[in-house]
Amino acid sequence: MFLPCAAGVEPFLLAECQRLLPAGTRAETGRGGVYVEGTRQDAMALNLGSRIAQRVLWEVAAGPYRDERDLYDLALQVDWTEWISPRHTLRVDVSAHRSPLQSLQFAGLRVKDAVCDQMRHAAGARPDVDTHHPDLALVLHVGPEWAALSVDLSGEALFKRGWREVKGEAPLKETLAAAMLAAAGWQGREEDGGLLDPCCGAGTIVIEAAQMACGMAPGLHRRFAFERLLPFAGLQADWRQLKAAAQAAVHPPRVPVWGGDVSFRMTDFASRNAERAGVLNAIQFKTADALQRPAPAERGTLMMNPPYGERIAPKGSGQGQGLGGRRGEVQGERFEGAADAADFYARLAAHWKKGYAGWTAWVLTPEAKTPSLMRLKESRRVPMWNGAIECRMFRFDMVAGSARSAAAPAPGAAPDASAA
């Protein structure tokens, strides 16, 4: 199997896989994900329990290729009657890395032709194509000389936990929020302390944290593509048992989780998302300005993906300035209680030093100069990609009236890499 993930979080995904899989299962990191040598039962467990993986892909064929004819022959190596019947639907997605092929669309078409031709010959009929919700989703990856064909056992991407109603409501995917928590070493244990996101937006970070604090599997409220595929038809009892065990493992939260936003609308929005996710009672929401909100406990973890845009200034404060014309910045934003982004960060850091001594703060941002904007010295920085945007996750250890770092490295955190 191959489990793709956001660039930069492969070590965290590997650690997660090792927790989810039986001892001795072989797993190792690769470019953009983790490889696992496991069983079909392992595949089901990974779909149900992985917070960081984007999908679970089951490789069915691989080999050298020169052109589309070789890809057609590669797909014919698989007995597709063991996976689907003519009543099932099909889709082929293609990704490439330095491939010499002129058309990836044509490469996918040839793989689809191979599946349909074989099925027509074996069963007298061919499956239809469904580009939106196919029963069998194939993923073809072509490199310079090598091609691999896999079955997508997840179906919809794993960041779709089954609770979000409105598409595109937040730029931060659940899988990346989980990676942020993993980078911070926060697992919802009593020794981790509580977690606060003072700019929670749609609630992605706090909902992930609350589910972890409650022992709730991320895939508990959704369905997966493997449930419709023939190799898993005989494992329905195993799947029911796996889900029942996951349901039985849910417990009251072991640590508090706090969230909120300066916008009443966003706080209400996040609350409704938390209710659909089954963790509304595990999160304490409060509408408050991040520049003024007092610490809810003596110690804990602050985590935020600093928001930009209208919800920063719901009352219509003046236009602010961008961060110097750099790639990935957001120009012309408005900041509640601050003139511009630099002022916002400086005020936020001052508030944290004054009111959050003893806390550890983690900030995910594409702005490499965030520590200087906050006038703080980071104790850790973890490179992490948010889609196509290169970001860094900075750790700041808050000491009253000081910017010094005082805490030991967090579990799982990346080593100091000032040149990153």
Side-chain angles (χ1 to χ4, degrees):
M1 287 173 279
F2 181 67
L3 283 68
C5 64
V9 305
E10 294 92 344
F12 308 126
L13 176 55
L14 177 62
E16 180 184 68
C17 289
Q18 292 170 337
R19 289 195 301 269
L20 293 171
L21 296 170
T25 303
R26 185 174 177 182
E28 61 183 29
T29 57
R31 180 178 176 270
V34 169
Y35 292 95
V36 174
E37 289 187 12
T39 65
R40 287 175 291 172
Q41 287 85 350
D42 294 334
M44 294 190 298
L46 289 169
N47 271 292
L48 179 63
S50 178
R51 294 190 173 278
I52 301 175
Q54 295 170 343
R55 298 179 182 276
V56 178
L57 305 178
W58 186 281
E59 186 177 291
V60 291
Y65 79 100
R66 292 166 298 179
D67 52 32
E68 292 82 1
R69 289 172 296 181
D70 292 333
L71 299 177
Y72 180 93
D73 293 338
L74 182 69
L76 284 180
Q77 295 178 12
V78 183
D79 185 354
W80 296 108
T81 62
E82 295 182 351
W83 284 92
I84 57 173
S85 72
R87 294 187 300 274
H88 287 83
T89 55
L90 167 71
R91 185 184 71 206
V92 181
D93 297 313
V94 186
S95 64
H97 176 64
R98 296 168 54 197
S99 172
L101 297 178
Q102 296 298 313
S103 171
L104 298 184
Q105 183 177 3
F106 184 58
L109 181 63
R110 293 304 289 151
V111 170
K112 184 269 296 180
D113 289 343
V115 177
C116 292
D117 290 348
Q118 187 194 95
M119 291 292 295
R120 185 186 294 109
H121 182 266
R126 49 154 286 176
D128 291 329
V129 172
D130 184 341
T131 59
H132 297 291
H133 301 288
D135 298 308
L136 177 67
L138 298 179
V139 177
L140 172 68
H141 180 75
V142 287
E145 299 176 342
W146 191 266
L149 183 61
S150 301
V151 174
D152 180 359
L153 299 182
S154 302
E156 287 194 308
L158 291 181
F159 78 84
K160 297 182 178 181
R161 311 291 203 219
W163 55 261
R164 198 183 289 275
E165 281 192 348
V166 181
K167 296 181 180 179
E169 66 191 42
L172 187 69
K173 288 184 171 62
E174 288 78 352
T175 45
L176 186 57
M180 294 171 63
L181 293 164
W186 195 93
Q187 299 179 33
R189 305 163 299 187
E190 290 184 14
E191 58 265 34
D192 295 329
L195 182 134
L196 165 65
D197 182 354
C199 300
C200 73
T204 308
I205 293 175
V206 291
I207 289 173
E208 283 295 305
Q211 288 193 343
M212 292 173 65
C214 294
M216 185 180 296
L220 199 56
H221 301 299
R222 57 160 285 173
R223 298 184 66 85
F224 301 94
F226 70 78
E227 298 179 63
R228 305 190 298 273
L229 298 175
L230 299 182
F232 293 85
L235 300 177
Q236 293 182 10
D238 297 54
W239 178 230
R240 287 193 296 268
Q241 183 178 2
L242 196 61
K243 288 196 296 183
Q247 186 63 60
V250 178
H251 54 74
R254 294 199 169 109
V255 291
V257 176
W258 304 280
D261 202 278
V262 71
S263 163
F264 284 99
R265 182 181 66 85
M266 293 307 299
T267 304
D268 179 66
F269 192 21
S271 299
R272 287 185 278 118
N273 281 338
E275 184 174 18
R276 286 191 294 271
V279 290
L280 179 60
N281 293 332
I283 306 173
Q284 301 175 41
F285 284 105
K286 178 182 179 181
T287 300
D289 185 351
L291 301 179
Q292 300 177 7
R293 181 170 183 163
E298 290 186 3
R299 73 176 188 93
T301 298
L302 275 159
M303 185 168 291
M304 60 186 293
N305 177 32
Y308 299 119
E310 293 298 327
R311 71 183 179 88
I312 290 293
K315 299 174 184 177
S317 60
Q319 286 291 112
Q321 300 298 316
L323 299 180
R326 294 171 56 86
R327 183 172 69 94
E329 77 187 31
V330 180
Q331 295 279 359
E333 301 296 351
R334 308 177 190 182
F335 292 84
E336 178 74 9
D340 54 27
D343 188 33
F344 173 79
Y345 280 124
R347 289 171 180 263
L348 184 65
H351 176 58
W352 284 355
K353 285 190 287 184
K354 181 179 179 181
Y356 285 81
W359 283 65
T360 300
W362 292 86
V363 181
L364 179 70
T365 173
E367 176 50 60
K369 294 183 178 180
T370 294
S372 62
L373 291 172
M374 298 186 75
R375 301 166 192 168
L376 291 173
K377 172 60 179 175
E378 77 276 15
S379 60
R380 293 290 181 272
R381 60 171 67 188
V382 183
M384 198 173 289
W385 288 76
N386 185 359
I389 302 174
E390 183 179 8
C391 298
R392 290 168 181 82
M393 191 170 165
F394 295 102
R395 169 178 165 163
F396 303 103
D397 301 305
M398 307 312 303
V399 179
S402 171
R404 293 175 298 172
S405 174
D416 190 14
S418 58

